[in-house]
Amino acid sequence: MTWASWTTVGIHALPGAVRTTEIGVINGDLTIHTTWSENLAHVAVQYTGATDWYTMEGSPVPCDSEEASRSFHQAVVEAARGGERAEASLEELFQR
Protein backbone atom coordinates (compact mmCIF):
# COMPACT_ATOMS: atom_id res chain seq x y z
CA MET A 1 0.00 0.00 0.00
CA THR A 2 1.30 3.44 -0.95
CA TRP A 3 0.57 6.44 1.22
CA ALA A 4 1.84 9.94 1.96
CA SER A 5 0.95 12.72 4.36
CA TRP A 6 1.44 16.45 4.76
CA THR A 7 0.93 18.73 7.74
CA THR A 8 0.87 22.52 7.76
CA VAL A 9 1.03 24.15 11.20
CA GLY A 10 0.14 27.69 12.22
CA ILE A 11 -2.49 28.54 9.63
CA HIS A 12 -4.45 31.61 10.65
CA ALA A 13 -7.91 30.67 9.40
CA LEU A 14 -10.32 33.57 9.29
CA PRO A 15 -13.95 33.17 10.46
CA GLY A 16 -16.13 30.98 8.28
CA ALA A 17 -13.34 29.29 6.36
CA VAL A 18 -13.05 25.82 7.88
CA ARG A 19 -16.02 23.53 8.51
CA THR A 20 -15.69 20.17 10.26
CA THR A 21 -18.12 17.28 10.36
CA GLU A 22 -17.84 16.93 14.14
CA ILE A 23 -18.04 20.47 15.55
CA GLY A 24 -18.97 22.76 12.66
CA VAL A 25 -17.04 25.91 11.76
CA ILE A 26 -13.68 26.61 13.39
CA ASN A 27 -11.16 29.42 12.94
CA GLY A 28 -8.01 30.78 14.51
CA ASP A 29 -4.60 29.11 14.71
CA LEU A 30 -5.10 25.76 12.99
CA THR A 31 -3.09 22.79 11.75
CA ILE A 32 -4.22 20.99 8.59
CA HIS A 33 -3.14 17.41 7.92
CA THR A 34 -3.74 15.47 4.71
CA THR A 35 -3.18 11.73 4.37
CA TRP A 36 -3.27 10.15 0.91
CA SER A 37 -3.82 6.41 0.45
CA GLU A 38 -5.78 4.20 -1.91
CA ASN A 39 -6.39 7.21 -4.21
CA LEU A 40 -8.19 9.22 -1.51
CA ALA A 41 -7.05 12.38 0.30
CA HIS A 42 -8.29 12.50 3.91
CA VAL A 43 -8.12 15.98 5.44
CA ALA A 44 -8.15 16.62 9.19
CA VAL A 45 -7.83 19.86 11.13
CA GLN A 46 -7.07 20.77 14.72
CA TYR A 47 -6.44 23.85 16.79
CA THR A 48 -2.64 24.09 16.74
CA GLY A 49 -1.23 22.39 19.82
CA ALA A 50 -4.48 20.60 20.70
CA THR A 51 -4.89 16.83 20.82
CA ASP A 52 -8.25 16.47 19.07
CA TRP A 53 -8.45 16.19 15.29
CA TYR A 54 -11.60 16.87 13.28
CA THR A 55 -12.55 15.73 9.79
CA MET A 56 -12.87 18.57 7.30
CA GLU A 57 -16.34 18.54 5.81
CA GLY A 58 -16.26 16.82 2.42
CA SER A 59 -13.25 14.64 3.21
CA PRO A 60 -12.09 12.30 1.80
CA VAL A 61 -11.82 13.29 -1.83
CA PRO A 62 -10.54 11.26 -4.79
CA CYS A 63 -6.90 11.99 -5.68
CA ASP A 64 -5.26 9.86 -8.35
CA SER A 65 -1.65 10.43 -7.31
CA GLU A 66 0.61 11.48 -4.49
CA GLU A 67 1.49 14.63 -6.43
CA ALA A 68 -2.20 15.52 -6.89
CA SER A 69 -2.87 15.02 -3.19
CA ARG A 70 0.05 17.31 -2.27
CA SER A 71 -1.36 20.00 -4.53
CA PHE A 72 -4.80 19.45 -3.02
CA HIS A 73 -3.39 19.85 0.51
CA GLN A 74 -1.77 23.17 -0.45
CA ALA A 75 -5.00 24.39 -2.07
CA VAL A 76 -6.93 23.59 1.13
CA VAL A 77 -4.35 25.49 3.22
CA GLU A 78 -4.57 28.54 0.97
CA ALA A 79 -8.37 28.47 0.94
CA ALA A 80 -8.51 28.17 4.75
CA ARG A 81 -6.44 31.33 5.03
CA GLY A 82 -9.03 33.20 2.98
CA GLY A 83 -11.82 33.36 5.59
CA GLU A 84 -15.45 33.77 4.62
CA ARG A 85 -14.59 34.71 1.07
CA ALA A 86 -12.90 31.29 0.73
CA GLU A 87 -15.89 29.22 1.84
CA ALA A 88 -16.98 28.61 -1.75
CA SER A 89 -13.40 27.71 -2.70
CA LEU A 90 -13.22 25.03 -0.02
CA GLU A 91 -16.59 23.62 -1.05
CA GLU A 92 -15.40 23.44 -4.65
CA LEU A 93 -12.17 21.72 -3.61
CA PHE A 94 -14.07 19.05 -1.71
CA GLN A 95 -16.60 18.45 -4.49
CA ARG A 96 -14.13 17.19 -7.07
Coordinates of all heavy atoms in Angstrom, one line a residue:
M1 N 0.8 -1.2 0.0 CA 0.0 0.0 0.0 C 0.9 1.2 0.0 O 1.8 1.4 0.8 CB -0.9 0.0 1.2 CG -1.8 1.2 1.3 SD -3.0 1.1 2.6 CE -2.2 1.9 4.0
T2 N 0.6 2.2 -0.9 CA 1.3 3.4 -1.0 C 0.5 4.5 -0.2 O -0.7 4.6 -0.3 CB 1.5 3.9 -2.4 OG1 2.2 2.8 -3.1 CG2 2.2 5.1 -2.5
W3 N 1.2 5.3 0.5 CA 0.6 6.4 1.2 C 1.6 7.6 1.4 O 2.8 7.4 1.3 CB 0.0 6.0 2.6 CG 1.0 5.7 3.6 CD1 1.7 4.5 3.7 CD2 1.6 6.6 4.6 NE1 2.6 4.6 4.8 CE2 2.6 5.9 5.3 CE3 1.4 7.9 4.9 CZ2 3.3 6.4 6.3 CZ3 2.1 8.5 5.9 CH2 3.0 7.7 6.6
A4 N 1.0 8.8 1.7 CA 1.8 9.9 2.0 C 1.0 10.9 2.8 O -0.2 10.7 2.9 CB 2.2 10.7 0.7
S5 N 1.7 11.8 3.5 CA 0.9 12.7 4.4 C 1.7 14.0 4.4 O 2.9 14.1 4.3 CB 0.7 12.2 5.8 OG 1.9 12.1 6.5
W6 N 0.9 15.1 4.6 CA 1.4 16.5 4.8 C 0.7 17.1 5.9 O -0.5 16.9 6.1 CB 1.2 17.2 3.5 CG 1.9 16.6 2.3 CD1 3.2 16.9 2.0 CD2 1.4 15.6 1.5 NE1 3.5 16.1 0.9 CE2 2.4 15.3 0.6 CE3 0.2 15.0 1.3 CZ2 2.3 14.4 -0.4 CZ3 0.0 14.0 0.4 CH2 1.1 13.7 -0.5
T7 N 1.5 18.0 6.6 CA 0.9 18.7 7.7 C 1.4 20.2 7.6 O 2.6 20.4 7.4 CB 1.4 18.1 9.1 OG1 1.0 16.8 9.2 CG2 0.8 18.9 10.3
T8 N 0.5 21.1 7.7 CA 0.9 22.5 7.8 C 0.4 23.1 9.1 O -0.8 23.0 9.4 CB 0.3 23.3 6.6 OG1 0.7 22.6 5.4 CG2 0.7 24.7 6.6
V9 N 1.3 23.6 9.9 CA 1.0 24.1 11.2 C 1.0 25.7 11.2 O 1.6 26.3 10.4 CB 2.2 23.7 12.2 CG1 1.9 24.3 13.6 CG2 2.3 22.2 12.2
G10 N 0.2 26.2 12.0 CA 0.1 27.7 12.2 C -0.6 28.4 11.1 O -0.2 29.6 10.8
I11 N -1.7 27.9 10.6 CA -2.5 28.5 9.6 C -3.5 29.4 10.4 O -4.2 29.0 11.2 CB -3.3 27.5 8.8 CG1 -2.3 26.6 8.1 CG2 -4.2 28.2 7.8 CD1 -3.0 25.3 7.6
H12 N -3.5 30.7 10.0 CA -4.4 31.6 10.6 C -5.7 31.6 9.8 O -5.7 32.3 8.7 CB -3.9 33.0 10.8 CG -4.9 33.9 11.4 ND1 -5.2 33.8 12.8 CD2 -5.7 34.9 10.9 CE1 -6.2 34.7 13.0 NE2 -6.5 35.4 11.9
A13 N -6.7 30.8 10.2 CA -7.9 30.7 9.4 C -8.9 31.7 9.9 O -9.2 31.8 11.1 CB -8.5 29.3 9.6
L14 N -9.4 32.5 9.0 CA -10.3 33.6 9.3 C -11.7 33.0 9.5 O -12.0 31.9 9.1 CB -10.3 34.6 8.2 CG -9.0 35.3 8.0 CD1 -9.1 36.2 6.7 CD2 -8.6 36.2 9.2
P15 N -12.6 33.7 10.2 CA -13.9 33.2 10.5 C -14.7 32.7 9.2 O -14.6 33.3 8.2 CB -14.7 34.4 11.1 CG -13.6 35.2 11.7 CD -12.4 35.0 10.8
G16 N -15.3 31.5 9.3 CA -16.1 31.0 8.3 C -15.4 30.1 7.3 O -16.0 29.5 6.4
A17 N -14.1 30.0 7.4 CA -13.3 29.3 6.4 C -13.4 27.8 6.5 O -13.5 27.1 5.5 CB -11.9 29.8 6.3
V18 N -13.3 27.2 7.7 CA -13.1 25.8 7.9 C -14.3 25.2 8.6 O -14.6 25.6 9.7 CB -11.8 25.5 8.7 CG1 -11.6 24.1 8.9 CG2 -10.6 26.1 7.9
R19 N -14.9 24.2 7.9 CA -16.0 23.5 8.5 C -15.6 22.1 8.7 O -15.1 21.4 7.9 CB -17.2 23.6 7.6 CG -18.5 23.0 8.1 CD -19.7 23.2 7.2 NE -20.0 24.6 7.0 CZ -20.7 25.3 7.9 NH1 -21.2 24.7 9.0 NH2 -21.0 26.6 7.7
T20 N -16.0 21.6 9.9 CA -15.7 20.2 10.3 C -17.0 19.4 10.4 O -18.1 20.0 10.6 CB -14.9 20.1 11.6 OG1 -15.8 20.4 12.7 CG2 -13.7 20.9 11.6
T21 N -16.9 18.1 10.2 CA -18.1 17.3 10.4 C -18.5 17.1 11.8 O -19.7 16.9 12.1 CB -17.9 15.9 9.7 OG1 -16.8 15.2 10.3 CG2 -17.7 16.0 8.2
E22 N -17.6 17.2 12.7 CA -17.8 16.9 14.1 C -18.3 18.1 14.9 O -19.2 18.0 15.7 CB -16.6 16.4 14.9 CG -16.1 15.0 14.3 CD -15.2 15.1 13.2 OE1 -14.9 16.3 12.7 OE2 -14.7 14.1 12.7
I23 N -17.7 19.3 14.7 CA -18.0 20.5 15.5 C -18.4 21.7 14.8 O -18.6 22.8 15.3 CB -16.9 20.8 16.5 CG1 -15.6 21.2 15.8 CG2 -16.7 19.7 17.5 CD1 -14.5 21.7 16.7
G24 N -18.6 21.6 13.5 CA -19.0 22.8 12.7 C -17.8 23.6 12.3 O -16.7 23.2 12.1
V25 N -18.0 24.9 12.2 CA -17.0 25.9 11.8 C -16.0 26.2 12.9 O -16.4 26.4 14.0 CB -17.7 27.2 11.3 CG1 -16.7 28.3 10.9 CG2 -18.7 26.9 10.1
I26 N -14.7 26.2 12.5 CA -13.7 26.6 13.4 C -12.8 27.6 12.7 O -12.8 27.7 11.5 CB -12.8 25.4 13.9 CG1 -12.1 24.7 12.8 CG2 -13.7 24.5 14.7 CD1 -11.2 23.6 13.3
N27 N -12.1 28.4 13.5 CA -11.2 29.4 12.9 C -10.1 29.7 14.0 O -10.1 29.1 15.0 CB -11.9 30.7 12.6 CG -12.6 31.3 13.7 OD1 -13.7 31.0 14.0 ND2 -12.0 32.2 14.4
G28 N -9.1 30.5 13.6 CA -8.0 30.8 14.5 C -6.8 30.1 14.0 O -6.6 29.8 12.9
D29 N -5.9 29.7 15.0 CA -4.6 29.1 14.7 C -4.8 27.6 14.5 O -5.0 26.9 15.5 CB -3.6 29.4 15.9 CG -2.2 28.9 15.6 OD1 -1.9 28.4 14.5 OD2 -1.4 29.0 16.5
L30 N -4.8 27.1 13.3 CA -5.1 25.8 13.0 C -3.9 25.0 12.4 O -3.0 25.6 11.8 CB -6.3 25.7 12.0 CG -7.6 26.4 12.4 CD1 -8.6 26.3 11.3 CD2 -8.1 25.8 13.7
T31 N -4.0 23.7 12.4 CA -3.1 22.8 11.7 C -3.9 21.9 10.8 O -5.0 21.4 11.2 CB -2.3 21.9 12.8 OG1 -1.5 22.7 13.6 CG2 -1.4 20.9 12.0
I32 N -3.5 21.8 9.6 CA -4.2 21.0 8.6 C -3.3 19.8 8.2 O -2.1 20.0 7.9 CB -4.6 21.8 7.3 CG1 -5.7 22.9 7.7 CG2 -5.2 20.9 6.3 CD1 -6.1 23.8 6.6
H33 N -3.9 18.6 8.2 CA -3.1 17.4 7.9 C -3.9 16.6 6.8 O -5.1 16.4 7.0 CB -3.0 16.6 9.2 CG -2.3 15.3 9.0 ND1 -1.0 15.2 8.9 CD2 -2.8 14.0 8.8 CE1 -0.6 13.9 8.7 NE2 -1.7 13.2 8.6
T34 N -3.2 16.3 5.8 CA -3.7 15.5 4.7 C -3.0 14.1 4.6 O -1.8 14.1 4.6 CB -3.6 16.2 3.4 OG1 -4.3 17.5 3.5 CG2 -4.2 15.4 2.2
T35 N -3.8 13.1 4.6 CA -3.2 11.7 4.4 C -3.7 11.2 3.1 O -5.0 11.2 2.9 CB -3.5 10.8 5.5 OG1 -3.1 11.3 6.7 CG2 -2.9 9.4 5.3
W36 N -2.9 10.7 2.2 CA -3.3 10.1 0.9 C -3.0 8.7 0.9 O -1.9 8.2 1.2 CB -2.5 10.8 -0.2 CG -2.8 10.2 -1.6 CD1 -3.9 10.3 -2.3 CD2 -1.9 9.3 -2.3 NE1 -3.8 9.6 -3.5 CE2 -2.6 9.0 -3.5 CE3 -0.7 8.8 -2.1 CZ2 -2.0 8.1 -4.4 CZ3 -0.1 8.0 -3.0 CH2 -0.8 7.7 -4.2
S37 N -4.0 7.9 0.6 CA -3.8 6.4 0.4 C -5.0 5.9 -0.4 O -6.1 6.4 -0.3 CB -3.7 5.7 1.8 OG -4.9 5.7 2.5
E38 N -4.7 4.8 -1.1 CA -5.8 4.2 -1.9 C -6.6 5.2 -2.8 O -7.8 5.1 -2.9 CB -6.7 3.4 -1.0 CG -5.9 2.3 -0.3 CD -6.8 1.5 0.6 OE1 -8.1 1.6 0.5 OE2 -6.3 0.7 1.4
N39 N -5.8 6.2 -3.3 CA -6.4 7.2 -4.2 C -7.4 8.1 -3.6 O -8.3 8.6 -4.2 CB -6.9 6.6 -5.5 CG -5.8 6.1 -6.4 OD1 -4.7 6.5 -6.3 ND2 -6.1 5.1 -7.2
L40 N -7.3 8.3 -2.2 CA -8.2 9.2 -1.5 C -7.3 10.1 -0.6 O -6.4 9.7 0.0 CB -9.2 8.5 -0.6 CG -10.3 7.7 -1.3 CD1 -11.0 6.8 -0.3 CD2 -11.2 8.6 -2.0
A41 N -7.7 11.4 -0.6 CA -7.1 12.4 0.3 C -8.0 12.6 1.5 O -9.1 13.1 1.3 CB -6.8 13.7 -0.4
H42 N -7.5 12.3 2.7 CA -8.3 12.5 3.9 C -7.7 13.7 4.6 O -6.5 13.8 4.8 CB -8.1 11.3 4.9 CG -8.7 10.0 4.3 ND1 -9.9 9.6 4.6 CD2 -8.1 9.1 3.4 CE1 -10.1 8.4 3.9 NE2 -9.0 8.1 3.2
V43 N -8.6 14.7 4.9 CA -8.1 16.0 5.4 C -8.7 16.1 6.8 O -9.9 16.0 7.1 CB -8.5 17.2 4.6 CG1 -8.0 18.5 5.1 CG2 -8.1 17.0 3.1
A44 N -7.8 16.4 7.8 CA -8.1 16.6 9.2 C -7.6 18.0 9.6 O -6.6 18.5 9.1 CB -7.6 15.5 10.1
V45 N -8.2 18.5 10.6 CA -7.8 19.9 11.1 C -7.9 19.9 12.6 O -8.7 19.1 13.2 CB -8.7 21.0 10.5 CG1 -10.2 20.8 10.9 CG2 -8.2 22.4 10.9
Q46 N -7.0 20.6 13.3 CA -7.1 20.8 14.7 C -6.6 22.2 15.1 O -6.0 22.9 14.3 CB -6.2 19.8 15.4 CG -4.7 20.1 15.3 CD -3.8 19.2 16.1 OE1 -2.6 19.4 16.0 NE2 -4.3 18.2 16.9
Y47 N -7.0 22.6 16.3 CA -6.4 23.9 16.8 C -5.0 23.5 17.1 O -4.7 22.5 17.7 CB -7.2 24.3 18.1 CG -8.5 24.8 17.8 CD1 -9.7 24.0 18.1 CD2 -8.7 26.1 17.3 CE1 -10.9 24.5 17.9 CE2 -10.0 26.6 17.0 CZ -11.1 25.8 17.3 OH -12.4 26.2 17.1
T48 N -4.1 24.4 16.6 CA -2.6 24.1 16.7 C -2.3 23.9 18.2 O -2.7 24.7 19.1 CB -1.8 25.2 16.1 OG1 -2.1 25.3 14.7 CG2 -0.3 25.0 16.3
G49 N -1.6 22.7 18.5 CA -1.2 22.4 19.8 C -2.2 21.6 20.6 O -1.9 21.0 21.7
A50 N -3.4 21.4 20.0 CA -4.5 20.6 20.7 C -4.3 19.1 20.4 O -3.4 18.8 19.6 CB -5.9 21.0 20.2
T51 N -5.0 18.3 21.1 CA -4.9 16.8 20.8 C -6.0 16.3 19.9 O -5.8 15.3 19.3 CB -4.9 16.0 22.1 OG1 -6.1 16.4 22.8 CG2 -3.7 16.4 23.0
D52 N -7.1 17.0 19.9 CA -8.3 16.5 19.1 C -8.1 16.9 17.6 O -7.8 18.0 17.3 CB -9.6 17.0 19.6 CG -9.9 16.5 21.0 OD1 -9.5 15.3 21.3 OD2 -10.5 17.2 21.8
W53 N -8.4 15.9 16.7 CA -8.4 16.2 15.3 C -9.9 16.1 14.8 O -10.6 15.3 15.3 CB -7.6 15.2 14.5 CG -6.1 15.4 14.7 CD1 -5.3 14.8 15.6 CD2 -5.3 16.2 13.9 NE1 -4.0 15.3 15.4 CE2 -4.0 16.1 14.4 CE3 -5.6 17.1 12.8 CZ2 -3.0 16.8 13.8 CZ3 -4.5 17.8 12.2 CH2 -3.2 17.7 12.7
Y54 N -10.3 16.9 13.8 CA -11.6 16.9 13.3 C -11.5 16.7 11.8 O -10.6 17.2 11.1 CB -12.3 18.2 13.6 CG -12.3 18.5 15.0 CD1 -11.5 19.5 15.6 CD2 -13.2 17.8 15.9 CE1 -11.5 19.8 16.9 CE2 -13.2 18.1 17.3 CZ -12.3 19.1 17.8 OH -12.3 19.3 19.1
T55 N -12.5 16.0 11.2 CA -12.6 15.7 9.8 C -13.1 17.0 9.1 O -14.1 17.5 9.5 CB -13.5 14.5 9.5 OG1 -13.0 13.4 10.2 CG2 -13.5 14.2 8.0
M56 N -12.4 17.4 8.1 CA -12.9 18.6 7.3 C -14.1 18.1 6.5 O -14.0 17.0 5.9 CB -11.8 19.1 6.4 CG -11.5 20.5 6.6 SD -10.3 21.1 5.4 CE -9.9 22.7 6.2
E57 N -15.1 18.9 6.5 CA -16.3 18.5 5.8 C -16.0 18.3 4.3 O -15.4 19.1 3.7 CB -17.4 19.6 6.0 CG -18.8 19.2 5.5 CD -19.8 20.2 5.9 OE1 -20.2 20.2 7.1 OE2 -20.2 21.0 5.0
G58 N -16.5 17.2 3.8 CA -16.3 16.8 2.4 C -15.1 15.8 2.2 O -15.0 15.2 1.2
S59 N -14.4 15.6 3.3 CA -13.3 14.6 3.2 C -13.8 13.2 3.4 O -14.7 13.0 4.2 CB -12.2 15.0 4.3 OG -11.2 14.1 4.3
P60 N -13.2 12.2 2.7 CA -12.1 12.3 1.8 C -12.6 12.7 0.4 O -13.7 12.6 0.1 CB -11.6 10.9 1.8 CG -12.8 10.0 2.1 CD -13.7 10.9 3.0
V61 N -11.6 13.0 -0.4 CA -11.8 13.3 -1.8 C -10.9 12.4 -2.7 O -9.8 12.0 -2.3 CB -11.6 14.8 -2.2 CG1 -12.5 15.7 -1.4 CG2 -10.1 15.2 -2.0
P62 N -11.4 12.1 -3.9 CA -10.5 11.3 -4.8 C -9.3 12.0 -5.2 O -9.4 13.2 -5.6 CB -11.5 11.0 -6.0 CG -12.8 11.3 -5.5 CD -12.7 12.3 -4.4
C63 N -8.2 11.4 -5.2 CA -6.9 12.0 -5.7 C -6.1 10.8 -6.3 O -5.8 9.9 -5.6 CB -6.1 12.6 -4.6 SG -6.4 14.3 -4.3
D64 N -5.9 11.0 -7.6 CA -5.3 9.9 -8.3 C -3.8 9.6 -8.1 O -3.3 8.6 -8.4 CB -5.5 10.1 -9.8 CG -6.9 10.0 -10.2 OD1 -7.7 9.3 -9.5 OD2 -7.3 10.6 -11.2
S65 N -3.1 10.6 -7.5 CA -1.7 10.4 -7.3 C -1.2 11.2 -6.1 O -1.9 12.0 -5.5 CB -0.9 11.0 -8.5 OG -1.0 12.4 -8.6
E66 N 0.0 10.8 -5.6 CA 0.6 11.5 -4.5 C 0.8 13.0 -4.8 O 0.5 13.8 -4.0 CB 1.9 10.8 -4.2 CG 2.7 11.4 -3.0 CD 3.9 10.7 -2.6 OE1 4.1 9.5 -3.0 OE2 4.8 11.3 -2.0
E67 N 1.3 13.2 -6.0 CA 1.5 14.6 -6.4 C 0.2 15.4 -6.4 O 0.1 16.6 -5.9 CB 2.1 14.7 -7.8 CG 2.4 16.1 -8.3 CD 3.0 16.1 -9.7 OE1 3.9 15.2 -10.0 OE2 2.6 17.0 -10.5
A68 N -0.9 14.8 -6.9 CA -2.2 15.5 -6.9 C -2.7 15.8 -5.5 O -3.2 16.8 -5.2 CB -3.2 14.7 -7.7
S69 N -2.4 14.8 -4.6 CA -2.9 15.0 -3.2 C -2.0 16.1 -2.5 O -2.6 16.8 -1.6 CB -2.8 13.7 -2.4 OG -1.5 13.2 -2.3
R70 N -0.8 16.2 -2.8 CA 0.0 17.3 -2.3 C -0.5 18.7 -2.7 O -0.6 19.6 -2.0 CB 1.5 17.1 -2.7 CG 2.4 18.3 -2.2 CD 2.5 18.3 -0.7 NE 3.3 19.4 -0.2 CZ 2.8 20.6 0.3 NH1 1.6 20.8 0.3 NH2 3.7 21.5 0.7
S71 N -0.8 18.8 -4.0 CA -1.4 20.0 -4.5 C -2.7 20.3 -3.9 O -3.0 21.5 -3.6 CB -1.5 19.9 -6.0 OG -0.3 19.8 -6.7
F72 N -3.5 19.3 -3.7 CA -4.8 19.4 -3.0 C -4.6 20.0 -1.6 O -5.3 20.9 -1.2 CB -5.6 18.1 -3.0 CG -6.9 18.2 -2.3 CD1 -7.9 18.9 -2.9 CD2 -7.0 17.6 -1.1 CE1 -9.2 19.0 -2.2 CE2 -8.3 17.7 -0.4 CZ -9.3 18.4 -1.0
H73 N -3.7 19.4 -0.9 CA -3.4 19.9 0.5 C -3.0 21.3 0.5 O -3.6 22.1 1.3 CB -2.2 19.1 1.1 CG -1.8 19.6 2.4 ND1 -2.4 19.3 3.6 CD2 -0.7 20.4 2.7 CE1 -1.8 20.0 4.6 NE2 -0.8 20.6 4.1
Q74 N -2.2 21.8 -0.4 CA -1.8 23.2 -0.4 C -2.9 24.1 -0.8 O -3.1 25.2 -0.3 CB -0.6 23.4 -1.4 CG 0.0 24.7 -1.3 CD 0.5 25.0 0.1 OE1 1.1 24.2 0.7 NE2 0.3 26.3 0.5
A75 N -3.8 23.6 -1.7 CA -5.0 24.4 -2.1 C -5.9 24.6 -0.9 O -6.5 25.6 -0.7 CB -5.7 23.7 -3.2
V76 N -6.1 23.5 -0.1 CA -6.9 23.6 1.1 C -6.3 24.6 2.1 O -7.1 25.4 2.7 CB -7.1 22.2 1.8 CG1 -7.7 22.3 3.2 CG2 -7.9 21.3 0.9
V77 N -5.0 24.5 2.3 CA -4.4 25.5 3.2 C -4.6 26.9 2.8 O -5.0 27.8 3.6 CB -2.8 25.2 3.3 CG1 -2.1 26.3 4.0 CG2 -2.6 23.9 4.0
E78 N -4.4 27.2 1.5 CA -4.6 28.5 1.0 C -6.0 29.0 1.1 O -6.3 30.1 1.4 CB -4.1 28.6 -0.5 CG -2.6 28.4 -0.6 CD -1.8 29.4 0.2 OE1 -2.1 30.6 0.3 OE2 -0.8 28.9 0.8
A79 N -7.0 28.1 0.8 CA -8.4 28.5 0.9 C -8.7 28.7 2.4 O -9.5 29.7 2.7 CB -9.3 27.4 0.4
A80 N -8.2 28.0 3.3 CA -8.5 28.2 4.8 C -8.0 29.5 5.2 O -8.7 30.2 6.1 CB -7.9 27.1 5.6
R81 N -7.0 30.0 4.7 CA -6.4 31.3 5.0 C -7.3 32.5 4.5 O -7.2 33.6 5.0 CB -5.0 31.5 4.5 CG -4.0 30.7 5.2 CD -2.6 30.9 4.6 NE -1.6 30.2 5.4 CZ -0.6 29.6 4.8 NH1 -0.4 29.5 3.5 NH2 0.3 28.9 5.6
G82 N -8.2 32.2 3.6 CA -9.0 33.2 3.0 C -10.3 33.6 3.7 O -10.9 34.6 3.3
G83 N -10.7 33.0 4.8 CA -11.8 33.4 5.6 C -13.1 33.1 4.8 O -13.2 32.3 4.0
E84 N -14.1 33.9 5.2 CA -15.5 33.8 4.6 C -15.5 33.8 3.1 O -16.2 33.1 2.5 CB -16.4 34.8 5.2 CG -16.7 34.6 6.6 CD -17.5 35.7 7.3 OE1 -17.8 36.7 6.6 OE2 -17.9 35.6 8.4
R85 N -14.6 34.6 2.5 CA -14.6 34.7 1.1 C -14.1 33.4 0.4 O -14.2 33.2 -0.7 CB -13.8 35.9 0.6 CG -12.3 35.9 1.0 CD -11.7 37.2 0.6 NE -10.3 37.2 1.1 CZ -9.9 37.6 2.3 NH1 -10.8 37.9 3.2 NH2 -8.6 37.6 2.6
A86 N -13.5 32.6 1.3 CA -12.9 31.3 0.7 C -13.9 30.1 0.9 O -13.6 29.0 0.4 CB -11.6 31.0 1.4
E87 N -15.0 30.3 1.6 CA -15.9 29.2 1.8 C -16.3 28.5 0.5 O -16.2 27.3 0.5 CB -17.1 29.7 2.6 CG -18.0 28.6 3.0 CD -19.2 29.1 3.9 OE1 -19.1 30.2 4.5 OE2 -20.1 28.3 4.0
A88 N -16.6 29.2 -0.5 CA -17.0 28.6 -1.8 C -15.8 27.8 -2.3 O -16.0 26.8 -2.9 CB -17.5 29.7 -2.7
S89 N -14.6 28.4 -2.2 CA -13.4 27.7 -2.7 C -13.2 26.4 -2.0 O -12.9 25.4 -2.7 CB -12.2 28.6 -2.5 OG -12.3 29.8 -3.1
L90 N -13.4 26.3 -0.7 CA -13.2 25.0 0.0 C -14.3 24.1 -0.5 O -14.0 22.9 -0.7 CB -13.3 25.2 1.5 CG -12.0 25.6 2.1 CD1 -12.2 26.1 3.6 CD2 -10.9 24.5 2.1
E91 N -15.5 24.5 -0.6 CA -16.6 23.6 -1.1 C -16.3 23.1 -2.4 O -16.5 21.9 -2.7 CB -17.9 24.4 -1.1 CG -18.5 24.6 0.3 CD -19.8 25.4 0.3 OE1 -20.4 25.6 -0.8 OE2 -20.2 25.9 1.3
E92 N -15.8 23.9 -3.3 CA -15.4 23.4 -4.7 C -14.3 22.4 -4.6 O -14.3 21.4 -5.3 CB -15.0 24.6 -5.5 CG -16.2 25.5 -5.9 CD -15.7 26.8 -6.6 OE1 -14.5 26.9 -6.9 OE2 -16.6 27.7 -6.8
L93 N -13.3 22.7 -3.7 CA -12.2 21.7 -3.6 C -12.7 20.3 -3.2 O -12.2 19.3 -3.6 CB -11.2 22.2 -2.6 CG -10.3 23.4 -3.0 CD1 -9.5 23.9 -1.8 CD2 -9.3 22.9 -4.1
F94 N -13.6 20.3 -2.3 CA -14.1 19.1 -1.7 C -15.2 18.4 -2.5 O -15.6 17.3 -2.2 CB -14.5 19.2 -0.3 CG -13.4 19.3 0.7 CD1 -13.0 20.5 1.2 CD2 -12.7 18.2 1.1 CE1 -11.9 20.6 2.1 CE2 -11.7 18.2 2.0 CZ -11.2 19.4 2.5
Q95 N -15.6 19.0 -3.6 CA -16.6 18.4 -4.5 C -16.0 18.1 -5.8 O -16.7 18.1 -6.8 CB -17.8 19.4 -4.6 CG -18.3 19.8 -3.3 CD -19.8 20.1 -3.4 OE1 -20.4 20.1 -4.4 NE2 -20.3 20.4 -2.2
R96 N -14.8 17.6 -5.8 CA -14.1 17.2 -7.1 C -14.8 16.0 -7.7 O -15.3 15.2 -7.2 CB -12.7 16.8 -6.8 CG -12.0 18.0 -6.2 CD -10.6 17.5 -5.7 NE -9.7 18.3 -6.5 CZ -8.5 17.9 -6.8 NH1 -8.0 16.8 -6.3 NH2 -7.7 18.6 -7.5

